[in-house]
mmCIF file of all heavy atoms in Angstrom:
data_model
loop_
_atom_site.group_PDB
_atom_site.id
_atom_site.type_symbol
_atom_site.label_atom_id
_atom_site.label_comp_id
_atom_site.label_asym_id
_atom_site.label_seq_id
_atom_site.Cartn_x
_atom_site.Cartn_y
_atom_site.Cartn_z
ATOM 1 N N ALA L 171 77.724 -93.792 6.050
ATOM 2 C CA ALA L 171 78.321 -94.761 7.004
ATOM 3 C C ALA L 171 79.684 -95.318 6.383
ATOM 4 O O ALA L 171 80.670 -95.503 7.120
ATOM 5 C CB ALA L 171 77.416 -95.815 7.296
ATOM 6 N N ASN L 172 79.699 -95.610 5.140
ATOM 7 C CA ASN L 172 80.899 -96.203 4.480
ATOM 8 C C ASN L 172 82.080 -95.236 4.510
ATOM 9 O O ASN L 172 83.195 -95.568 4.824
ATOM 10 C CB ASN L 172 80.602 -96.622 3.066
ATOM 11 C CG ASN L 172 79.613 -97.861 2.994
ATOM 12 O OD1 ASN L 172 79.579 -98.641 3.917
ATOM 13 N ND2 ASN L 172 78.935 -97.951 1.886
ATOM 14 N N LEU L 173 81.763 -93.942 4.177
ATOM 15 C CA LEU L 173 82.861 -92.923 4.228
ATOM 16 C C LEU L 173 83.319 -92.742 5.645
ATOM 17 O O LEU L 173 84.531 -92.620 5.871
ATOM 18 C CB LEU L 173 82.347 -91.608 3.632
ATOM 19 C CG LEU L 173 82.212 -91.441 2.134
ATOM 20 C CD1 LEU L 173 81.752 -90.082 1.740
ATOM 21 C CD2 LEU L 173 83.554 -91.764 1.488
ATOM 22 N N MET L 174 82.365 -92.640 6.582
ATOM 23 C CA MET L 174 82.772 -92.540 7.981
ATOM 24 C C MET L 174 83.696 -93.692 8.521
ATOM 25 O O MET L 174 84.690 -93.429 9.135
ATOM 26 C CB MET L 174 81.544 -92.418 8.861
ATOM 27 C CG MET L 174 81.789 -92.206 10.357
ATOM 28 S SD MET L 174 82.699 -90.686 10.697
ATOM 29 C CE MET L 174 81.277 -89.527 10.484
ATOM 30 N N SER L 175 83.359 -94.817 8.061
ATOM 31 C CA SER L 175 84.160 -96.036 8.479
ATOM 32 C C SER L 175 85.602 -95.907 7.928
ATOM 33 O O SER L 175 86.540 -96.203 8.602
ATOM 34 C CB SER L 175 83.432 -97.278 7.958
ATOM 35 O OG SER L 175 84.267 -98.432 8.294
ATOM 36 N N TYR L 176 85.678 -95.439 6.656
ATOM 37 C CA TYR L 176 86.980 -95.300 5.995
ATOM 38 C C TYR L 176 87.822 -94.219 6.778
ATOM 39 O O TYR L 176 89.064 -94.372 6.996
ATOM 40 C CB TYR L 176 86.830 -95.010 4.530
ATOM 41 C CG TYR L 176 88.221 -94.900 3.835
ATOM 42 C CD1 TYR L 176 88.849 -95.979 3.420
ATOM 43 C CD2 TYR L 176 88.810 -93.649 3.671
ATOM 44 C CE1 TYR L 176 90.144 -95.932 2.779
ATOM 45 C CE2 TYR L 176 90.013 -93.503 3.072
ATOM 46 C CZ TYR L 176 90.683 -94.643 2.640
ATOM 47 O OH TYR L 176 91.914 -94.592 2.009
ATOM 48 N N ILE L 177 87.169 -93.094 7.033
ATOM 49 C CA ILE L 177 87.829 -91.960 7.713
ATOM 50 C C ILE L 177 88.386 -92.411 9.063
ATOM 51 O O ILE L 177 89.460 -92.144 9.391
ATOM 52 C CB ILE L 177 86.849 -90.806 7.827
ATOM 53 C CG1 ILE L 177 86.474 -90.237 6.436
ATOM 54 C CG2 ILE L 177 87.494 -89.744 8.719
ATOM 55 C CD1 ILE L 177 85.369 -89.219 6.459
ATOM 56 N N LEU L 178 87.503 -93.116 9.813
ATOM 57 C CA LEU L 178 87.922 -93.499 11.135
ATOM 58 C C LEU L 178 89.184 -94.399 11.136
ATOM 59 O O LEU L 178 89.920 -94.456 12.056
ATOM 60 C CB LEU L 178 86.794 -94.241 11.905
ATOM 61 C CG LEU L 178 85.612 -93.263 12.331
ATOM 62 C CD1 LEU L 178 84.435 -94.115 12.871
ATOM 63 C CD2 LEU L 178 86.077 -92.205 13.270
ATOM 64 N N LYS L 179 89.265 -95.211 10.103
ATOM 65 C CA LYS L 179 90.372 -96.251 10.024
ATOM 66 C C LYS L 179 91.618 -95.505 9.593
ATOM 67 O O LYS L 179 92.744 -96.120 9.814
ATOM 68 C CB LYS L 179 89.977 -97.306 9.024
ATOM 69 C CG LYS L 179 88.972 -98.270 9.522
ATOM 70 C CD LYS L 179 88.620 -99.308 8.466
ATOM 71 C CE LYS L 179 87.457 -100.259 8.962
ATOM 72 N NZ LYS L 179 87.125 -101.201 7.895
ATOM 73 N N ASN L 180 91.517 -94.302 8.927
ATOM 74 C CA ASN L 180 92.694 -93.715 8.233
ATOM 75 C C ASN L 180 93.163 -92.394 8.883
ATOM 76 O O ASN L 180 94.237 -91.929 8.566
ATOM 77 C CB ASN L 180 92.477 -93.663 6.815
ATOM 78 C CG ASN L 180 92.432 -94.992 6.108
ATOM 79 O OD1 ASN L 180 93.503 -95.545 5.753
ATOM 80 N ND2 ASN L 180 91.268 -95.526 5.863
#
Side-chain angles (χ1 to χ4, degrees):
N172 290 334
L173 283 182
M174 180 63 74
S175 177
Y176 181 84
I177 292 169
L178 291 175
K179 290 177 181 177
N180 290 278

